[in-house]
Amino acid sequence: MSKKVKDFGIEKTLRNLGIKEENKGTSSGGKYFASGKTIESYSPVDGNLIAKIKTSGASDYDKVIEAAEKAFKEFRLIPAPKRGEIVRQLGQKLRTYKDDLGKLVSYEMGKSLQEGLGEVQEMIDICDFAVGVSRQLHGYTMHSERPGHRMYEQYHPLGVVGIITAFNFPVAVWAWNTALAWICGNVTIWKPSEKTPLCALACQNIMNEVLKENGIGEGISSVLVADHEIGQKLVDDKRVSLVSFTGSTRVGRMVSSKVAERFGKSILELGGNNAIIISKDADIDMSIIGAVFGAVGTAGQRCTSTRRLIIHEEVYEEVKNRLVKAYGQLKIGNPLDEKNHVGPLIDTAAVTQYEESIRKCKEEGGNFVVEGEVLNGKGYESGCYVKPCIAEVQNSYEIVQHETFAPILYLIKYGTLDEAISIQNDVPQGLSSAIMTQNLREAELFLSHAGSDCGIANVNIGTSGAEIGGAFGGEKETGGGRESGSDVWKYYMRRQTNTINYTASLPLAQGIKFDL
């Protein structure tokens, strides 16, 4: 490991999180199964090998599923507030390990240290939220049309919940799903991205401490570090009641159809192509901050990253010029160094996609006011660092209609708000959106039925990021799933309607007579 990285304490961080040079990648409540191939995790920060992981095979998968099914039969009988107590303890453990886990997220994934720590804070926040929800898993009581009858609804746990996550949020999305799934009485099996396996192992090691301290055995929480074939098993397996998938629209479409074929349930968090409308009545200072962070934060690798700026013609040149100036001040480098604004892309394949997207944009007529390039030389040895860039485009360009997981920002000019909203909605994706304006009428129209068609719509806030308390997710090719706050817990349960007859007779509905 390079001296530069040693200076940031990575070796100590790995030890604290139970990560060794050689790891077993399939864990179920402290018991490990690993009969598959060995994979290696390299950091995009410096290109160094962090650790090796022995992955799971088909036989390991079956053992984990069997353990999960057995654990569910017992876990569902524990009162929900008691299950909430387990989640509360996980939140406390995460507070203890926040610095170490945040640093690992930054080093293995490449996002800034501040963002890595922020991601762990999201885990803590969802644990706090779920603890409260564990005492509020409510149903409804309604009046029966039959005398002496009572009707109500209640919710029951589903069973085994499969969680398939992406590299860009290697720990938070697992926690979003797991905290709610557990308080609802389910057990979880996590298939993390092969690009960030150590983050998943660290989370499971932390969870294993909680389970051990509470005398809970294997099966409640399992992680499967494996290739896509094991992910496919989760999708196809009838024993997995719900599959929560975060990833590309292409793969999500397959997951949706396969799970639906077996009448399972799915939560889909897929692509985003997010836009900020900058009105002539916007606070330009605020708009620049929101646009720059949304476009370059996590090196453009958030599903909520700002891809498009739709700018009113009266302020277009001012916004463009100020963006160019702001981009000239960006510091690109090791994300563990808090002086840097932008870290690396996840790997060289992502760099290739970045280059290809720039080429396609230019072919379609895009005018780059800030040119993109792959950075080389000292500090950029991993080959994963790129320069954030800005292009003037038309929304109709094919490349603009696609999500590129890289810091490429598109500028589009508009004249009327109706035109701006039409441009905003005229992409296949529908995750996050925003308008910057001090005009109340514009803000309300943007949030109305005639406004944004996205799952998230903000006023004077950028597209990137979301609070735990609200439901997170989007429409159209974003998949329609919802995770995190609000009443999302209902996704992890099955609804049941109950009717109780407390009389000595059996009146039939609609006055039907059936005398024997």
Side-chain angles (χ1 to χ4, degrees):
M1 188 172 289
S2 68
K3 182 178 185 301
K4 177 70 174 175
V5 171
K6 281 186 178 181
D7 291 342
F8 288 96
I10 290 298
E11 290 180 325
K12 181 180 178 182
T13 291
L14 295 174
R15 287 196 302 271
N16 290 345
L17 293 170
I19 304 298
K20 308 170 185 177
E21 290 186 11
E22 302 277 348
N23 301 272
K24 292 182 179 180
T26 300
S27 172
S28 181
K31 189 174 183 180
Y32 289 86
F33 309 97
S35 64
K37 65 181 180 180
T38 296
I39 62 173
E40 299 173 330
S41 178
Y42 289 87
S43 171
V45 173
D46 54 17
N48 285 334
L49 174 65
I50 310 173
K52 297 179 180 180
I53 308 96
K54 186 76 170 177
T55 65
S56 62
S59 61
D60 303 312
Y61 173 84
D62 289 334
K63 291 174 183 175
V64 168
I65 284 285
E66 290 168 6
E69 285 193 302
K70 181 179 179 181
F72 170 62
K73 293 178 180 178
E74 298 179 4
F75 194 58
R76 64 184 175 180
L77 300 179
I78 298 175
K82 297 294 185 182
R83 298 193 297 259
E85 170 60 18
I86 302 298
V87 175
R88 187 195 67 79
Q89 292 178 36
L90 174 59
Q92 289 301 109
K93 287 286 184 183
L94 289 170
R95 285 176 170 87
T96 300
Y97 287 103
K98 179 178 177 179
D99 288 347
D100 287 319
L101 186 55
K103 188 176 290 185
L104 177 59
V105 168
S106 178
Y107 187 57
E108 188 176 33
M109 185 268 152
K111 64 177 60 177
S112 71
L113 179 58
Q114 299 97 312
E115 290 181 273
L117 294 171
E119 184 170 346
V120 180
Q121 186 60 48
E122 284 191 37
M123 302 173 77
I124 294 168
D125 291 344
I126 193 63
C127 286
D128 289 350
F129 178 86
V131 172
V133 175
S134 71
R135 294 182 179 271
Q136 301 180 65
L137 300 177
H138 56 79
Y140 297 96
T141 298
M142 60 282 292
H143 292 280
S144 171
E145 67 183 38
R146 290 169 285 186
H149 286 61
R150 181 166 69 89
M151 292 180 63
Y152 67 95
E153 287 183 346
Q154 61 178 333
Y155 289 84
H156 297 294
L158 292 171
V160 179
V161 171
I163 305 167
I164 303 174
T165 60
F167 73 86
N168 59 329
F169 278 83
V171 295
V173 176
W174 167 74
W176 288 1
N177 283 275
T178 298
L180 292 179
W182 283 341
I183 60 106
C184 290
N186 303 294
V187 299
T188 58
I189 299 175
W190 181 17
K191 162 63 177 71
S193 169
E194 291 176 80
K195 297 180 181 182
T196 51
L198 299 178
C199 288
L201 288 185
C203 289
Q204 184 67 20
N205 289 343
I206 293 169
M207 189 60 210
N208 286 342
E209 291 185 18
V210 176
L211 297 177
K212 184 177 180 181
E213 290 168 5
N214 286 272
I216 297 175
E218 64 176 302
I220 304 298
S221 171
S222 304
V223 61
L224 289 166
V225 175
D227 59 21
H228 70 279
E229 293 181 359
I230 294 298
Q232 187 65 54
K233 281 182 172 290
L234 275 174
V235 170
D236 293 337
D237 198 330
K238 291 183 178 180
R239 295 171 292 183
V240 180
S241 300
L242 170 68
V243 175
S244 174
F245 173 81
T246 303
S248 70
T249 296
R250 179 184 63 82
V251 178
R253 185 174 284 111
M254 179 275 294
V255 170
S256 176
S257 62
K258 289 294 184 181
V259 174
E261 273 182 19
R262 60 178 179 82
F263 296 103
K265 296 185 177 182
S266 61
I267 298 174
L268 302 175
E269 297 288 356
L270 311 178
N273 196 345
N274 316 296
I276 299 176
I277 296 172
I278 300 181
S279 162
K280 63 182 176 63
D281 294 324
D283 180 319
I284 302 300
D285 291 340
M286 183 185 295
S287 300
I288 296 298
I289 293 171
V292 173
F293 175 73
V296 308
T298 323
Q301 296 173 113
R302 292 184 176 213
C303 51
T304 56
S305 290
T306 304
R307 310 288 176 199
R308 298 174 294 147
L309 284 188
I310 306 168
I311 309 167
H312 192 276
E313 57 193 10
E314 291 187 20
V315 295
Y316 182 88
E317 291 299 324
E318 179 186 358
V319 171
K320 180 179 72 173
N321 292 335
R322 291 186 63 175
L323 283 169
V324 171
K325 181 179 179 180
Y327 269 52
Q329 299 171 14
L330 292 175
K331 295 180 180 178
I332 307 167
N334 189 325
L336 294 171
D337 186 339
E338 294 187 21
K339 294 192 298 291
N340 292 323
H341 303 108
V342 184
L345 294 178
I346 185 64
D347 55 25
T348 54
V351 173
T352 299
Q353 184 185 50
Y354 161 86
E355 293 180 295
E356 182 66 11
S357 296
I358 291 174
R359 183 188 66 78
K360 288 181 179 178
C361 184
K362 289 182 176 181
E363 284 182 355
E364 291 192 75
N367 174 43
F368 278 80
V369 296
V370 175
E371 290 283 351
E373 64 175 303
V374 179
L375 301 177
N376 299 295
K378 186 177 181 181
Y380 304 131
E381 291 85 357
S382 69
C384 297
Y385 290 87
V386 301
K387 183 180 175 184
C389 56
I390 304 174
E392 297 178 292
V393 300
Q394 297 296 319
N395 199 65
S396 58
Y397 289 179
E398 183 182 3
I399 190 61
V400 177
Q401 293 286 310
H402 289 82
E403 177 187 45
T404 299
F405 240 46
I408 303 174
L409 180 63
Y410 301 121
L411 306 186
I412 304 164
K413 188 183 296 185
Y414 82 90
T416 68
L417 183 58
D418 285 343
E419 179 188 359
I421 292 173
S422 178
I423 293 170
Q424 141 69 40
N425 294 341
D426 191 21
V427 291
Q429 308 84 1
L431 178 53
S432 186
S433 60
I435 186 170
M436 295 293 188
T437 183
Q438 298 181 82
N439 184 316
L440 178 61
R441 290 178 177 176
E442 288 188 331
E444 290 293 341
L445 178 61
F446 181 73
L447 300 178
S448 74
H449 297 321
S452 169
D453 64 0
C454 294
I456 299 170
N458 298 327
V459 176
N460 294 328
I461 302 172
T463 64
S464 187
E467 289 189 39
I468 286 299
F472 178 89
E475 301 302 321
K476 301 188 294 188
E477 288 191 3
T478 303
R482 293 296 186 274
E483 293 175 333
S484 190
S486 186
D487 63 349
V488 168
W489 61 269
K490 293 179 180 178
Y491 276 68
Y492 302 89
M493 305 195 84
R494 59 182 175 88
R495 185 194 301 241
Q496 184 182 78
T497 301
N498 307 112
T499 306
I500 299 172
N501 176 7
Y502 56 89
T503 73
S505 61
L506 184 57
L508 302 178
Q510 288 84 45
I512 295 173
K513 301 295 183 180
F514 194 71
D515 298 324
L516 294 177

